[in-house]
Amino acid sequence: MSRLFRATIAAGLAFLLALSASAKDDKIRIYISADMEGITASVTAEQLGPSGFEYERFRQIMTDEVLAAIAGARAGGADEIVVSDSHGNMQNILVEKMPDDVLLIRGPGRPLSMMEGIQQGEFDGVIFIGYHSSASNMEGVRAHTMSSARLSELKLNGVPATEGLWNAAIAGDYGVPVIMISGDDAATSEVRDIVGDMEMAVVKQAIGFHSAKTMTPAAGQALIREKAQAAVERLGDFR
């Protein structure tokens, strides 16, 4: 094989590898962290754990809201999506309902808890679904931070932190912006006011710890889809 021929082959392979890397880099990757207290119509423990009489129904509603976020993100241009089941025992989302090309992180004992997996991919944006307000803000439905039985307040650099703020800081440490949040009015505003500009799907208005004026699940899912699409379409606006 001549030296010129070998050089031509090497140049061709280098071009193909560069083209492949460029195509990979052009993919939009979205990470979704889903909690349950902030989903549409959820107000008490009856919806939030296996012992509650409405839990199985609300597992489906939680799953449907994640599916709405996936559909919206894809409509906005997302190519790859990872979902983190981040409520309670972290085994709530109905895995068989997820699209085959979506990866689901589930189960407890994760190093990054609600944000596990953010460190394993080059994500372009984070979406929070079903988030609630913090223990420092008792205006929201089911307001708490991490564990209502163990923590009365969590601070980050001296600032009272919601789970949303805490998880946004983890995402930020990996260079990924939070682009959208869904939940009640107290939860969504609390995160946006500190983290900054993001799309918000306010699916219910908090009345008290165990009460809210809420959209129907179908209306909540439509709003989540709309806001997820808008968020991905304006990825360049977020830092």
Side-chain angles (χ1 to χ4, degrees):
M1 184 183 294
S2 71
R3 187 175 301 174
L4 177 60
F5 185 68
R6 287 198 300 268
T8 302
I9 292 295
L13 288 173
F15 174 76
L16 290 174
L17 288 171
L19 191 63
S20 174
S22 175
K24 182 179 180 181
D25 290 343
D26 285 343
K27 287 186 177 180
I28 296 175
R29 299 175 178 87
I30 300 297
Y31 182 97
I32 299 174
S33 175
D35 207 348
M36 203 169 187
E37 288 87 351
I39 66 173
T40 308
S42 174
V43 288
T44 73
E46 299 295 352
Q47 294 93 49
L48 300 173
S51 63
F53 79 94
E54 285 197 305
Y55 173 66
E56 289 303 324
R57 288 178 60 220
F58 276 76
R59 289 182 74 188
Q60 181 66 66
I61 294 172
M62 178 187 186
T63 301
D64 288 342
E65 293 200 354
V66 169
L67 289 171
I70 290 170
R74 282 180 166 161
D79 299 293
E80 296 179 3
I81 297 172
V82 172
V83 175
S84 170
D85 187 334
S86 298
H87 172 74
N89 63 18
M90 299 180 169
Q91 300 165 72
N92 309 280
I93 294 171
L94 301 172
V95 62
E96 68 274 16
K97 302 293 185 181
M98 291 291 102
D100 289 343
D101 58 348
V102 169
L103 296 176
L104 177 65
I105 297 171
R106 67 194 309 258
R110 314 172 187 170
L112 293 184
S113 189
M114 298 172 77
M115 297 300 291
E116 180 60 33
I118 194 74
Q119 75 276 34
Q120 296 170 348
E122 296 179 356
F123 293 98
D124 298 285
V126 170
I127 292 174
F128 293 153
I129 296 297
Y131 270 50
H132 53 82
S133 59
S134 71
S136 305
N137 179 6
M138 294 307 292
E139 295 180 4
V141 177
R142 302 290 300 182
H144 68 278
T145 308
M146 306 299 184
S147 170
S148 56
R150 299 176 182 175
L151 294 173
S152 60
E153 188 174 61
L154 178 68
K155 290 185 175 181
L156 184 60
N157 294 333
V159 177
T162 70
E163 291 176 20
L165 174 57
W166 186 266
N167 291 335
I170 293 174
D173 197 48
Y174 290 94
V176 189
V178 178
I179 63 174
M180 184 218 153
I181 183 171
S182 77
D184 69 25
D185 54 327
T188 53
S189 296
E190 193 175 18
V191 175
R192 182 202 57 193
D193 289 349
I194 297 177
V195 174
D197 176 41
M198 66 179 70
E199 295 288 334
M200 299 196 309
V202 180
V203 299
K204 57 191 175 188
Q205 301 285 330
I207 296 173
F209 188 76
H210 282 144
S211 56
K213 181 170 64 175
T214 180
M215 302 176 102
T216 65
Q221 291 152 32
L223 181 61
I224 287 168
R225 188 188 188 286
E226 173 191 334
K227 296 298 183 179
Q229 178 176 347
V232 175
E233 285 178 343
R234 51 184 291 253
L235 272 178
D237 296 341
F238 304 104
R239 297 291 179 268

